[in-house]
Amino acid sequence: MAKVPKASELGVEWAFPKTKWMDTPVTFRPGTWSYPGKPKNLEAVDMPNPREWSPTDADWKLPSNWKQIILEGMREQLHRFRSLRVFMDICVRCGACADKCHFFIGSGDPKNMPVLRAELFRSVYRKDFSLAGKIMGRMAGARDLTEDVVKEWFYYFYQCTECRRCSLFCPYGIDTAEVTIMGRELLNRLGVNIDWVMAPVANCFHNGNHLGIQPHAFKDMIDFFVDEIEAVNGIRVEPTFNRKGAEVLFITPSGDVFADPGTYTLMGYLMLFHEIGLDYTWSTYASEGGNFGLFTSHEMMKRLNAKMYAEAKRLGVKWILGGECGHMWRVVNQYMDTMNGPADFLEVPKSPITGTVFENAKSTKMTHIVEFTADLIKHGKLKLDPSRNDNLVVTYHDSCNPARAMGFFEEPRYVINSVCNNFYEMPPNTIREQTFCCGSGSGLNNDEFMEMRMRGGLPRANAVQHVHDQHGVNTLACICAIDRAVLTASMDYWVPDVTVYGVHELVGNALVMEGEQERTTDLRGEPLPGMEDTENEDI
C-alpha cells in the first residue's frame, strides 16, 4: 500500500498543462493506480490473456494482435450500441461536465475531466471510424492507437467510479460512465483489468458472493448476529436458509455480512423481519446482491445478475426483497429487463403486512428494503422510539446508483426522519440527483488506490464538513455497502468526528420489539441516550 499524504498535505495543483493532452504521458505514481487482475481470477471466468504483469512494467505482455482486438471490439460496440456512436459524435467539448467530477476536483488532473476522459476513447474512434479523422488526423482530434494509449486508458478509466454525475450536467445527455464501461470492456479483451474487480467477479461466479465465502461460513456469520441481537434485547430471531416455499427471498450485499459497519445494518434487517413475521429465507448460493460485472462488461453483468433469479426460481419464492446496495440496484433497475427479464415466473411484489403492491417492480419482481420499510412505517406497522438515536445528529448521503439510476430520494429520508429526531441536509447541489460520489465505487475501493480515493472523496467530505460545522452533524447515513465501507475511511481522513451508518442500523436502534428486555445499548454496544449510568454500573 502506497503512503497516503495527510489531509493537510493533500494539495491540488490548479495550473494549465505545459504540454497538450495527446503529448502528456501517463505517470504511474503509487497511490493512483490499482493492482492488475491476477491470472487465477481471469481464468476462473474465462477472461483472455491471464498473466503476471504490472502497470509499472514497460512490457504489459499484450496479445500480439492487441490492436486488431481493440478495433474489432470497438466496431462491435458501435454496431451494438447506438448510444455509443451518438456519444462519440455529438460532444462539442463545452466543458459543462468538467468541474462536476470528484476526481477532477480532488486531483486537478485535466484528464479526469469527464469530457477529456471520454476524449481518450473518442480520439481513437475518430482515427479509425470517422472520415474527418482518417483524413485530417490530429487536426480533427484523432490519434493512432498505440500501447501508450492503452496504458492511458487503463490509468484513467480506472480513475472513474462511473457515478454518472457528469451526465446530469451534459447539455446533450452524454453518459460518460457508459463510455468508461465500454473502454473497460475493450481493455478486458486484452487482459488489462484490476484485481479488485476481477476477484469479486470470480468469487461471485463460483461461490455466490464477492468474498468467496462458502455457504457454511455465510450461515455462521448470520448466526453470530443472531447471538448479538439477543445480547442487546433478549430476543432470539430465527432466520432460515435455502428454504423452499418461503414467500420472499432476501438478498443483500455480502459486505453487510462480513464488514463493519454493514454488519450492524444486517442486524437491523434481522430484527425488522422478525418483528413483522416476514416469511423469508436467505440463499447461501445467491449470497450477493452486488454486481461487479457492471464494472467489467455487459456480458459479465448479465451472467452475475442471473444467479439471483435462478435461485428465486429454485426456491419457489414469490418475489425478491433486496438490501441496501448501490450497483445491485442500478443493474436491476436499468439493465435487468433487457439482460435476464422479465421475471414472469415470480409475482409482482406485495407486502404481506400492509397489502401494498409495488407496481414499480412489476417486471423485475424485486423491491428495495428501504421502500418496503417506508411502507411499513407509513401504515403504522412498526413501533419506533426515535429517542434511542438522539445521540446521533444525522445527514444523508444519496448513494449514486439508487439516486441517479432510480430517482430514489424520498423513501430513505422518510425512514430516517421516522427513526431519528435530528436530521439535516447537506447543501442542495451535493445531494439527490446532484449527489457527489463516495470516491471509491466501481471497484476502486482498494488500499493501493488510497490517495486517489481520498482525493475523490473530498467533495463529499466538504459537504459533510459543512453540516458538521453548522449543525453538529456526527452521523452520515447511506444505503450502499460500498459507501458504508469507503465513507468510513473517508470520514476518518477528512471529517473524523463523523461516523457512517446504514439506514437499517438506525431502524434497528429505534425498533421496539414485542417482548424485548429493557434495552441499554445500541447495535454497536454503545449506551443508548440516558443509559450511560446503567452501563457504568454494569462495569
Side-chain angles (χ1 to χ4, degrees):
M1 175 179 169
K3 182 179 179 181
V4 181
K6 296 179 180 178
S8 59
E9 302 171 344
L10 201 67
V12 181
E13 296 183 10
W14 296 101
F16 285 105
K18 296 179 181 179
T19 56
K20 295 181 179 180
W21 74 265
M22 286 192 190
D23 301 321
T24 305
V26 171
T27 301
F28 285 90
R29 183 169 56 82
T32 64
W33 53 275
S34 302
Y35 296 152
K38 295 179 180 178
K40 67 174 184 178
N41 292 324
L42 273 65
E43 291 168 352
V45 286
D46 301 317
M47 297 291 283
N49 199 23
R51 72 218 181 278
E52 295 288 348
W53 65 286
S54 171
T56 57
D57 295 340
D59 182 6
W60 282 21
K61 303 176 184 177
L62 302 178
S64 58
N65 62 336
W66 67 267
K67 188 172 182 177
Q68 179 184 355
I69 291 173
I70 289 285
L71 294 178
E72 287 182 356
M74 188 177 288
R75 183 176 292 106
E76 179 184 320
Q77 290 174 338
L78 291 166
H79 175 73
R80 182 179 176 188
F81 301 106
R82 184 180 180 185
S83 59
L84 179 63
R85 185 175 289 277
V86 172
F87 294 162
M88 291 295 98
D89 289 335
I90 67 173
C91 177
V92 295
R93 288 166 283 185
C94 67
C97 63
D99 62 344
K100 309 307 185 294
C101 176
H102 49 285
F103 279 129
F104 176 61
I105 295 172
S107 70
D109 186 338
K111 292 183 184 180
N112 268 326
M113 294 188 295
V115 60
L116 190 45
R117 189 185 292 118
E119 200 72 8
L120 305 180
F121 190 102
R122 191 177 284 113
S123 58
V124 175
Y125 161 79
R126 289 197 188 100
K127 177 65 176 178
D128 290 278
F129 297 94
S130 75
L131 181 61
K134 291 177 180 178
I135 296 174
M136 301 174 66
R138 286 180 63 140
M139 291 181 63
R143 62 174 175 166
D144 291 324
L145 177 60
T146 66
E147 289 192 27
D148 286 339
V149 169
V150 172
K151 294 178 179 182
E152 189 179 51
W153 280 12
F154 173 82
Y155 190 76
Y156 289 104
F157 291 163
Y158 287 101
Q159 282 188 16
C160 170
T161 53
E162 300 174 8
C163 79
R164 304 173 69 239
R165 188 172 193 264
C166 54
S167 66
L168 193 71
F169 296 90
C170 176
Y172 294 100
I174 296 172
D175 192 341
T176 304
E178 288 291 332
V179 178
T180 299
I181 290 173
M182 300 296 184
R184 288 190 183 187
E185 185 173 323
L186 293 177
L187 290 174
N188 271 293
R189 296 184 182 215
L190 305 181
V192 176
N193 36 48
I194 67 172
D195 202 56
W196 205 253
V197 169
M198 294 314 305
V201 164
N203 286 333
C204 198
F205 183 66
H206 284 278
N207 296 307
N209 59 73
H210 292 158
L211 302 176
I213 303 300
Q214 298 294 325
H216 62 280
F218 184 87
K219 180 180 182 299
D220 286 347
M221 283 302 299
I222 294 180
D223 287 342
F224 171 78
F225 298 130
V226 169
D227 294 337
E228 291 290 290
I229 292 169
E230 187 173 19
V232 168
N233 65 8
I235 292 179
R236 188 82 179 172
V237 303
E238 298 178 349
T240 65
F241 302 88
N242 305 319
R243 177 167 61 89
K244 292 187 176 181
E247 182 171 358
V248 176
L249 171 62
F250 179 65
I251 302 176
T252 197
S254 57
D256 285 350
V257 185
F258 293 96
D260 292 343
T263 53
Y264 306 115
T265 301
L266 185 140
M267 291 167 68
Y269 301 150
L270 291 170
M271 295 166 66
L272 174 69
F273 298 156
H274 178 89
E275 183 63 16
I276 64 175
L278 185 67
D279 180 18
Y280 80 105
T281 192
W282 298 76
S283 168
T284 59
Y285 301 99
S287 50
E288 178 65 66
N291 192 328
F292 271 47
L294 174 63
F295 317 136
T296 310
S297 70
H298 290 82
E299 285 68 30
M300 192 65 70
M301 189 193 332
K302 177 179 179 179
R303 189 192 298 190
L304 298 186
N305 185 71
K307 72 182 185 304
M308 299 191 298
Y309 289 91
E311 190 66 349
K313 192 170 188 176
R314 184 183 76 86
L315 294 176
V317 300
K318 293 182 179 179
W319 54 280
I320 304 173
L321 182 62
E324 295 182 16
C325 183
H327 47 287
M328 167 173 76
W329 285 106
R330 184 180 177 201
V331 172
V332 169
N333 193 61
Q334 293 194 316
Y335 293 98
M336 162 60 190
D337 273 350
T338 53
M339 289 192 310
N340 305 106
D344 291 337
F345 61 92
L346 295 172
E347 298 179 8
V348 178
K350 178 180 179 180
S351 173
I353 314 303
T354 68
T356 297
V357 177
F358 297 99
E359 293 287 351
N360 57 321
K362 189 173 183 178
S363 180
T364 64
K365 310 301 192 298
M366 192 165 178
T367 297
H368 197 293
I369 180 67
V370 174
E371 180 183 25
F372 180 75
T373 301
D375 177 66
L376 293 170
I377 296 172
K378 183 72 173 178
H379 285 85
K381 299 300 183 181
L382 301 179
K383 185 177 181 181
L384 301 169
D385 181 1
S387 69
R388 290 178 175 178
N389 286 316
D390 276 355
N391 57 323
L392 307 179
V393 184
V394 185
T395 193
Y396 176 67
H397 164 70
D398 290 276
S399 301
C400 296
N401 286 310
R404 277 188 284 271
M406 296 179 70
F408 200 58
F409 306 131
E410 302 308 325
E411 293 88 342
R413 289 171 169 83
Y414 177 77
V415 173
I416 292 171
N417 278 300
S418 298
V419 300
C420 298
N421 289 319
N422 306 299
F423 177 75
Y424 297 93
E425 291 279 17
M426 286 181 275
N429 63 334
T430 71
I431 60 173
R432 297 180 183 268
E433 65 269 16
Q434 295 188 44
T435 186
F436 273 110
C437 181
C438 66
S440 305
S442 187
L444 304 184
N445 52 319
N446 54 68
D447 289 344
E448 68 269 19
F449 195 65
M450 190 63 75
E451 180 183 328
M452 284 304 297
R453 285 174 55 185
M454 295 304 101
R455 290 185 181 276
L458 175 60
R460 170 47 74 223
N462 279 342
V464 175
Q465 184 73 63
H466 174 78
V467 288
H468 171 68
D469 294 343
Q470 294 292 316
H471 305 292
V473 163
N474 59 15
T475 301
L476 178 60
C478 59
I479 55 170
C480 172
I482 288 180
D483 284 341
R484 283 192 285 277
V486 304
L487 284 172
T488 297
S490 184
M491 292 302 104
D492 287 345
Y493 188 82
W494 291 114
V495 199
D497 293 330
V498 174
T499 304
V500 178
Y501 282 68
V503 168
H504 274 79
E505 179 182 352
L506 301 175
V507 172
N509 284 341
L511 184 63
V512 180
M513 299 179 69
E514 184 178 351
E516 69 176 22
Q517 66 186 24
E518 182 182 13
R519 284 187 59 175
T520 59
T521 71
D522 62 15
L523 296 181
R524 301 188 182 206
E526 299 293 328
L528 291 174
M531 293 293 179
E532 293 82 1
D533 292 340
T534 303
E535 287 298 295
N536 291 334
E537 290 174 5
D538 292 341
I539 293 175

